Amino acid sequence: MSRSDETHIEVAGAEVRISHPDKIVFPEPGVTKLDLVRYYLAVAEGALRGAGGRPLVLKRFVKGIDAEPFFQKRVSENRPPYVGVATLRYASGTSADEAVIRDAAGLAWIVNLGCLDLNPHAVRAEDIDHPDELRVDLDPMPGVDWSQIVDVAFVVRDVLGDHGLVGWPKTSGSRGIHILVRIRPEWEFRDVRLAAEALAREVEARAPGLATARWWKEERGESVFVDFNQNAKDRTVASAYSVRALPDARVSMPLGWDELRTRRPEEFTAVTVPELFAARGDAHAGIDDAPGSLDGLLQLAERLGPAEKAPRGTGSGGSGRVGAAGTGGTGRRASTMPLIEIARTKTKPEAEDALTQWKAAHPEAAGMLHPADVLVDGMRGSSSQWYRVRINLQHVPEDARPPQEPLLADYDPWAGREWPSAPSPGG
């Protein structure tokens, strides 16, 4: 390789060699390899907060974003002095000396290897047996839109809060949302995974039809999979500010909870994020301030009992659909649960009033409901939030289930909005 085909930059007191700096990595926005290095240097504080000090699996796109990457667990012996090592041992009996970076020079070194995103384990290099991070990966099935993923994220936030934990959301950089939870490094991987599974099951119970903890993809329907298995010992996820292998160089972007309903994943790219980061800083700046306890989720796991094994040979089954109201007017999802819709309202007090009216009209059924059977969902409309009230009659005997009735309130959040005309065939 000629000297003209490389450059050297000084980062954090170290000289880092960058080969092929002008190589185009993302043709659509015209992002080069050196541009990627500069991106990570611009967001280094946030990127290191997510990946620094942790063993990393190197996901290398040496043949470009359209080719399959390869995963390198074992770091090269001729690594620079600013790149450390942590030895991870697995149940299979294998082990790997994985890279550990702690400064911006390490970020530049990783990008030079052809890595786009950062894939750290949920442990610190100083204690590789006790995770300090529980990871909630909200993975949408095909046909699920962003607003549904956001709705599930807020259910996750509520479940975490009910069990003494704080979640920090970020876009996955693809279609989903990651919610990170700092915990004290006092539990082993199996405990963290059990806690995450209990969380997923509780989210599914509170949002039936919207979220699922079912492991088998064919059983999830049009829902958001709460992927608890990302907390297994051998798993990594793309960390904060990672650039993903999508044509627009999309970034896994930390957000505040107040931003989830107003921002979209495609807004955040390697081109747009540096300016945003300079203006606002890192939305996850406080994530390390107050690590929490898993005791609450582990107690929930004990109350829930062993997770039910996935049934075999099941079809779609069940009509699920309760008229137009059963699909929220969209026709997108036919729940297998016996759902009826009570009301659609502009405000939450109106939603609560409608629920009170329904319970008064159907006291026998209302007395059989579990807390998770009452679904009052904040929904995103064309310009504001509205509320949908549904009842899951799964705990009411079939012969005692009230039918779907006319809505007690029928607010239309899209009233007055003009929709574009559908194109003519072949147009």
Side-chain angles (χ1 to χ4, degrees):
M1 182 174 60
S2 67
R3 303 290 291 179
S4 62
D5 211 14
E6 66 179 46
T7 189
H8 293 77
I9 58 176
E10 186 174 336
V11 185
E15 186 178 86
V16 183
R17 171 182 166 272
I18 307 298
S19 62
H20 308 292
D22 298 326
K23 177 183 178 182
I24 298 294
V25 181
F26 292 94
E28 186 176 292
V31 173
T32 67
K33 188 176 183 181
L34 185 58
D35 290 333
L36 276 180
V37 173
R38 289 170 174 159
Y39 161 78
Y40 273 108
L41 298 183
V43 300
E45 179 187 352
L48 290 168
R49 184 173 286 115
R54 301 179 182 277
L56 290 160
V57 172
L58 304 178
K59 184 180 177 183
R60 301 179 63 182
F61 290 84
V62 295
K63 295 183 179 180
I65 63 173
D66 295 325
E68 286 295 320
F70 74 89
F71 293 85
Q72 179 180 333
K73 288 187 176 181
R74 292 169 177 83
V75 65
S76 173
E77 291 183 0
N78 63 351
R79 65 189 181 277
Y82 49 80
V83 175
V85 165
T87 302
L88 274 70
R89 294 178 173 83
Y90 298 100
S92 62
T94 61
S95 64
D97 291 338
E98 298 191 7
V100 178
I101 62 171
R102 300 184 185 276
D103 58 22
L107 289 172
W109 176 79
I110 281 181
V111 175
N112 185 57
L113 293 178
C115 299
L116 303 181
D117 49 3
L118 308 174
N119 290 270
H121 289 272
V123 295
R124 304 284 180 175
E126 294 77 15
D127 185 354
I128 59 174
D129 295 320
H130 300 93
D132 72 333
E133 184 170 89
L134 182 148
R135 296 165 171 178
V136 183
D137 180 6
L138 301 183
D139 182 14
M141 294 295 291
V144 172
D145 60 26
W146 178 249
S147 62
Q148 182 175 336
I149 307 168
V150 172
D151 287 341
V152 174
F154 275 90
V155 177
V156 172
R157 184 183 71 164
D158 290 345
V159 175
L160 288 171
D162 290 347
H163 296 85
L165 294 167
V166 177
W168 298 79
K170 67 183 182 70
T171 65
S172 70
S174 182
R175 296 183 59 237
I177 291 174
H178 296 160
I179 301 173
L180 308 179
V181 184
R182 283 290 189 269
I183 57 175
R184 298 193 299 270
E186 300 174 0
W187 294 269
E188 297 182 353
F189 277 96
R190 64 174 179 270
D191 299 315
V192 178
R193 186 183 182 279
L194 177 61
E197 184 178 22
L199 168 71
R201 292 170 66 189
E202 180 67 9
V203 170
E204 181 182 50
R206 295 192 188 190
L210 294 179
T212 180
R214 293 182 179 272
W215 182 248
W216 300 109
K217 185 173 288 189
E218 62 268 22
E219 297 177 356
R220 297 174 194 165
E222 290 187 15
S223 61
V224 178
F225 176 43
V226 186
D227 190 354
F228 54 87
N229 207 47
Q230 297 296 359
N231 295 277
K233 184 174 183 177
D234 60 343
R235 294 299 183 93
T236 63
V237 297
S239 61
Y241 299 99
S242 286
V243 181
R244 308 307 301 274
L246 295 176
D248 58 358
R250 195 169 300 185
V251 166
S252 180
M253 184 67 179
L255 295 173
W257 284 103
D258 59 339
E259 297 178 290
L260 275 185
R261 295 195 185 278
T262 59
R263 308 303 294 265
R264 300 283 301 191
E266 58 268 23
E267 296 179 51
F268 308 111
T269 71
V271 176
T272 63
V273 167
E275 182 178 354
L276 182 60
F277 187 88
R280 60 177 274 177
D282 182 14
H284 285 188
I287 192 171
D288 293 315
D289 292 346
S293 169
L294 283 187
D295 287 344
L297 285 180
L298 292 175
Q299 290 168 8
L300 172 64
E302 187 174 350
R303 292 196 301 272
L304 292 175
E308 187 175 334
K309 291 185 178 180
R312 296 181 180 274
T314 56
S316 56
S319 64
R321 197 177 294 271
V322 188
T327 61
T330 67
R332 290 188 299 106
R333 184 179 63 257
S335 174
T336 58
M337 295 293 184
L339 292 172
I340 59 174
E341 189 169 2
I342 303 305
R344 302 177 188 181
T345 67
K346 186 175 182 179
T347 68
K348 191 169 185 179
E350 291 172 333
E352 293 170 343
D353 288 343
L355 178 60
T356 300
Q357 292 179 49
W358 185 89
K359 287 183 175 180
H362 304 284
E364 181 180 358
M368 301 178 189
L369 297 177
H370 292 197
D373 295 336
V374 179
L375 308 172
V376 181
D377 302 318
M379 310 292 288
R380 184 181 177 187
S382 61
S383 60
S384 61
Q385 182 167 276
W386 57 284
Y387 292 84
R388 179 179 61 180
V389 185
R390 295 175 299 160
I391 299 293
N392 188 343
L393 298 172
Q394 62 180 327
H395 296 110
V396 180
E398 288 190 16
D399 59 357
R401 291 175 181 172
Q404 176 67 50
E405 299 169 329
L407 299 182
L408 295 174
D410 193 4
Y411 171 69
D412 183 357
W414 297 279
R417 180 173 178 177
E418 294 184 6
W419 301 93
S421 300
S424 59

